[in-house]
Amino acid sequence: KKSSNSLFDKMHKNKKNKKGRGKRKNDNRQKKITNESSYKENSVVDLIFDMLEWDKKDPPSSIELTEDELDILNLVEPQVKVEEDYLDFLYNSKSAHIVNNRRSKKGEDDDDLPPMTMDKDHEWDYYHPGENTVGDVDKWIEEHIFSKIDQENPNVQLLVTMDTEFDAIKTHFISMKLKKFDHPDVVQITTDDHTLIYSIHPIGPSKFFDLCKDKRIVKCFVGGSNDFKYIENWYRTYTMFHCLQYKKLNMSATNDDILDLGLIEGRGRQMSGKNLVKTYLQRNLSKTFQLSRWSRVPLPDEQLEYSKLDSYSFHQLCFSKKFISDFLSKHPNMSTHVRSLLKSKIS
């Protein structure tokens, strides 16, 4: 009896300990929620100044950020009170130059290579909510993409390159801290002779999503995993606004109509757009404004210049015989129609 009682006592004691651990766990979780709530009550500028140990009453006259300060800045998101003057101050292009200088130290920039430029015959347009409607974007996509497709032919017929830009501070925080994905701030689409730069409207143009879903049009990205997630989330916002039934776009580099040009060395081995342009086009693609403030409307000239060259340079890769040869050799399971379309670009 003593042994059975002692065994019962041990089991009962363990049960009590488990309850205690669960209670402590819940208490800690409640503290975490409380801390997050108090954190969200602060304005983003207060939070940034606290983290960088700056005096808001006497802010620095210039924003020469160190690498550690820049890393902190990339984790903060303007989620409650957006104080435009200070955010413009924090997004000063000098922070982007620091990133560029950091790349130079790593040997990623090649001053001996000529800069990437757009061909004079290639036209580009910039649309933004301040001057253009969603319908204007639909018309552009219809004119430069869908009008060139034979509607009776179900096979792959056209290739476009696409890229997206995100507000660095906002997107880093939302994706890394809240485990959510926001919509892109800028979308670029390049055809053989035109490029569209679009500072997006959250409700989205319907033709853009038709483009994403159309299997007859091959969409090429570089490092597209994040692009896919943000576009899918943008589509969710679009369907909610129009009271449509939501069905996930399922954008993936494994789809026949979507290619990630960065997978030039095979699945799971990503090459950056900068290195692709350097290797196959022998040009230097500047990334100076990669972390600049892309939610600004309209975009300043330097950001427009940066954004139009990104998708344009990716499109030029599709005219490089060496690139297409290497890409096809690493993707033997590519569909026959897509393979033929890529070969036609270099014939």
Side-chain angles (χ1 to χ4, degrees):
K1 287 182 179 179
K2 285 185 179 179
S3 62
S4 63
N5 284 338
S6 61
L7 180 61
F8 175 80
D9 290 340
K10 287 180 181 179
M11 292 173 64
H12 189 62
K13 185 177 180 181
N14 288 337
K15 192 173 182 180
K16 283 184 176 180
N17 288 340
K18 286 182 180 179
K19 285 184 177 180
R21 284 197 297 271
K23 187 175 184 301
R24 286 194 297 273
K25 187 175 181 180
N26 289 333
D27 289 343
N28 292 335
R29 186 179 300 169
Q30 187 61 41
K31 287 180 181 178
K32 184 178 179 183
I33 292 172
T34 304
N35 291 337
E36 288 180 353
S37 301
S38 61
Y39 160 73
K40 290 181 179 181
E41 290 173 0
N42 295 328
S43 76
V44 62
V45 174
D46 290 336
L47 181 62
I48 292 173
F49 273 63
D50 287 344
M51 295 179 73
L52 297 179
E53 297 182 349
W54 292 346
D55 184 0
K56 191 173 179 182
K57 294 180 180 178
D58 184 24
S61 57
S62 64
I63 187 161
E64 305 261 356
L65 295 180
T66 65
E67 291 188 13
D68 290 338
E69 287 173 334
L70 188 64
D71 289 337
I72 291 175
L73 196 59
N74 286 341
L75 296 176
V76 184
E77 185 261 348
Q79 57 178 347
V80 184
K81 298 178 183 177
V82 180
E83 300 178 41
E84 293 292 333
D85 292 340
Y86 274 119
L87 285 177
D88 283 336
F89 175 73
L90 293 169
Y91 271 108
N92 189 293
S93 61
K94 290 182 181 179
S95 63
H97 286 300
I98 291 174
V99 178
N100 209 35
N101 291 337
R102 191 188 305 181
R103 289 195 175 98
S104 298
K105 292 176 184 177
K106 294 180 180 179
E108 293 185 18
D109 269 336
D110 298 276
D111 295 331
D112 55 329
L113 291 176
M116 186 68 197
T117 56
M118 181 176 282
D119 190 87
K120 293 181 179 179
D121 295 331
H122 191 93
E123 299 181 9
W124 64 279
D125 299 293
Y126 174 48
Y127 289 175
H128 61 84
E131 291 185 358
N132 306 97
T133 65
V134 172
D136 293 333
V137 182
D138 281 335
K139 289 178 182 178
W140 191 99
I141 296 175
E142 178 65 35
E143 178 184 351
H144 296 289
I145 297 177
F146 284 109
S147 65
K148 300 180 180 181
I149 291 178
D150 181 1
Q151 300 298 328
E152 297 181 0
N153 184 358
N155 297 323
V156 168
Q157 304 175 44
L158 193 66
L159 180 146
V160 300
T161 50
M162 299 172 67
D163 192 26
T164 58
E165 307 295 344
F166 315 101
D167 221 343
I169 291 178
K170 177 183 67 174
T171 54
H172 273 279
F173 181 86
I174 291 178
S175 61
M176 294 175 65
K177 295 293 185 182
L178 302 183
K179 307 300 181 185
K180 295 180 181 178
F181 290 89
D182 196 17
H183 56 68
D185 291 298
V186 177
V187 170
Q188 303 104 290
I189 307 171
T190 297
T191 66
D192 289 348
D193 49 13
H194 282 80
T195 290
L196 171 67
I197 304 168
Y198 176 42
S199 291
I200 75 155
H201 192 288
I203 66 171
S206 59
K207 289 291 183 181
F208 176 81
F209 300 116
D210 291 342
L211 167 63
C212 292
K213 292 183 283 187
D214 200 315
K215 300 295 182 182
R216 299 167 299 178
I217 305 170
V218 176
K219 282 76 66 176
C220 298
F221 294 81
V222 173
S225 58
N226 280 337
D227 296 318
F228 304 152
K229 292 170 183 175
Y230 285 106
I231 289 174
E232 287 170 358
N233 195 62
W234 184 22
Y235 179 63
R236 183 182 292 106
T237 305
Y238 164 80
T239 55
M240 290 174 63
F241 181 85
H242 291 283
C243 301
L244 301 174
Q245 182 179 3
Y246 173 69
K247 186 177 180 181
K248 191 175 180 181
L249 285 176
N250 285 324
M251 298 184 72
S252 169
T254 59
N255 296 359
D256 289 340
D257 62 316
I258 294 180
L259 299 179
D260 190 337
L261 303 181
L263 299 176
I264 187 67
E265 298 178 349
R267 295 288 178 191
R269 302 184 66 182
Q270 184 75 42
M271 184 182 287
S272 69
K274 184 177 182 66
N275 286 333
L276 285 172
V277 172
K278 170 187 172 183
T279 303
Y280 292 99
L281 302 180
Q282 286 76 52
R283 292 290 186 271
N284 180 23
L285 181 62
S286 174
K287 288 294 180 180
T288 303
F289 294 97
Q290 185 177 30
L291 296 182
S292 54
R293 191 176 176 195
W294 290 103
S295 59
R296 184 186 288 113
V297 176
L299 290 173
D301 292 341
E302 57 268 21
Q303 284 179 283
L304 285 174
E305 188 68 22
Y306 171 94
S307 59
K308 74 181 183 182
L309 286 177
D310 253 13
S311 59
Y312 173 78
S313 60
F314 302 158
H315 200 81
Q316 293 305 298
L317 289 170
C318 299
F319 293 96
S320 166
K321 290 184 178 180
K322 180 171 173 51
F323 174 81
I324 295 299
S325 176
D326 289 351
F327 192 81
L328 292 177
S329 66
K330 293 294 183 180
H331 299 273
N333 298 325
M334 187 183 299
S335 73
T336 305
H337 294 295
V338 175
R339 186 177 290 270
S340 299
L341 180 63
L342 289 177
K343 286 182 177 180
S344 69
K345 293 293 181 181
I346 58 175
S347 60

